[in-house]
Amino acid sequence: AQKITQTQPGMFVQEKEAVTLDCTYDTSDPSYGLFWYKQPSSGEMIFLIYQGSYDQQNATEGRYSLNFQKARKSANLVISASQLGDSAMYFCAYHRGGSARQLTFGSGTQLTVLP
Amino acid sequence: EAGVTQFPSHSVIEKGQTVTLRCDPISGHDNLYWYRRVMGKEIKFLLHFVKESKQDESGMPNNRFLAERTGGTYSTLKVQPAELEDSGVYFCASSQDRGTGSFYNEQFFGPGTRLTVL
């Protein structure tokens, strides 16, 4: 079974600075996908970014980028120019290819952006 | 376009009672998933519907949980009888069917139902 590890239960960052949230995964699947979701205090899960295991380039979506290191099995989320509204819980999730489409989640990182 | 909606947002019941959670996926999404997060633990997969059929229910914890998806539209998750350890947040998500050959499968989540069993 896949295991997703987020080793940072809590992180603090100063407004306008960049922050990296760590995610490592353990899998023997030949192909897979990695997602990051944001969960603000209101509770909804917001999709941020996706990286496929065969993608040649690191994924980017606005201020979010994914530092994908396949050999190290890591998929760290980088948020540039942090904003107060970025304060939230962030989850890394794994998705196996084929018909098994459920997500396997890490334990999450609570990010707090300081003014 | 409306997102995934869940009802109720909160539910407080006593041990032994029955609770039914409802999820309305995004219109046109054939895939519907249930997840839950119990206090202090990871979000865990419960089951996956494709239209009205259960594709994978390997995450259902026991037979006190029953999920249905009427006509491939909304889904309900019934817990009967509820136990203390069932407390947590239950999320529903939906996604389009891009075919097994397509890998990318973004799931859109609802706001969750917070269930408290006393």
Side-chain angles (χ1 to χ4, degrees):
Chain A
Q2 300 76 34
K3 182 173 174 61
I4 313 303
T5 303
Q6 294 181 253
T7 58
Q8 307 151 315
M11 288 281 285
F12 291 88
V13 64
Q14 208 68 40
E15 194 178 7
K16 299 180 185 177
E17 292 186 348
V19 63
T20 298
L21 307 183
D22 295 341
C23 172
T24 58
Y25 55 95
D26 183 14
T27 186
S28 56
D29 294 330
S31 62
Y32 49 87
L34 295 152
F35 296 77
W36 277 91
Y37 283 86
K38 171 184 178 181
Q39 187 185 39
S41 56
S42 51
E44 74 271 29
M45 297 278 282
I46 302 167
F47 165 76
L48 295 179
I49 195 166
Y50 165 83
Q51 178 83 44
S53 60
Y54 285 112
D55 292 342
Q56 297 296 315
Q57 307 261 2
N58 283 349
T60 60
E61 288 286 347
R63 294 186 299 110
Y64 304 107
S65 60
L66 205 151
N67 182 4
F68 180 50
Q69 299 188 46
K70 191 172 181 178
R72 293 187 177 185
K73 295 186 178 178
S74 73
N76 298 338
L77 176 70
V78 180
I79 305 175
S80 63
S82 298
Q83 302 172 355
L84 296 178
D86 294 334
S87 294
M89 181 72 87
Y90 288 80
F91 292 98
C92 178
Y94 174 98
H95 170 300
R96 175 190 283 177
S99 62
R101 297 173 182 261
Q102 67 268 27
L103 296 175
T104 301
F105 285 87
S107 55
T109 296
Q110 180 68 47
L111 175 68
T112 302
V113 180
L114 303 171
Chain B
E1 180 184 332
V4 177
T5 57
Q6 293 186 244
F7 182 82
S9 56
H10 294 82
S11 181
V12 181
I13 61 172
E14 295 194 348
K15 176 182 172 181
Q17 289 186 322
T18 297
V19 64
T20 299
L21 313 181
R22 173 170 169 144
C23 168
D24 286 79
I26 293 172
S27 177
H29 281 193
D30 288 337
N31 294 284
L32 187 149
Y33 311 80
W34 284 98
Y35 296 86
R36 76 171 179 177
R37 187 181 190 203
V38 297
M39 185 64 70
K41 299 198 174 179
E42 290 90 354
I43 301 169
K44 294 285 192 184
F45 165 78
L46 296 179
L47 88 160
H48 169 208
F49 283 100
V50 177
K51 297 183 180 177
E52 67 275 7
S53 300
K54 291 176 185 174
Q55 175 79 11
D56 181 353
E57 52 183 329
S58 61
M60 294 289 262
N62 51 61
N63 59 10
R64 295 187 293 104
F65 288 75
L66 174 65
E68 295 180 325
R69 189 178 183 192
T70 306
T73 56
Y74 70 92
S75 174
T76 58
L77 179 65
K78 179 189 289 188
V79 185
Q80 179 182 29
E83 298 289 344
L84 298 179
E85 63 265 24
D86 300 333
S87 295
V89 181
Y90 289 76
F91 291 101
C92 174
S94 71
S95 70
Q96 289 181 317
D97 186 1
R98 299 174 186 265
T100 55
S102 173
F103 194 79
Y104 180 63
N105 181 37
E106 177 186 345
Q107 295 181 20
F108 296 84
F109 280 75
T113 293
R114 182 174 295 278
L115 175 64
T116 303
V117 183
L118 303 175

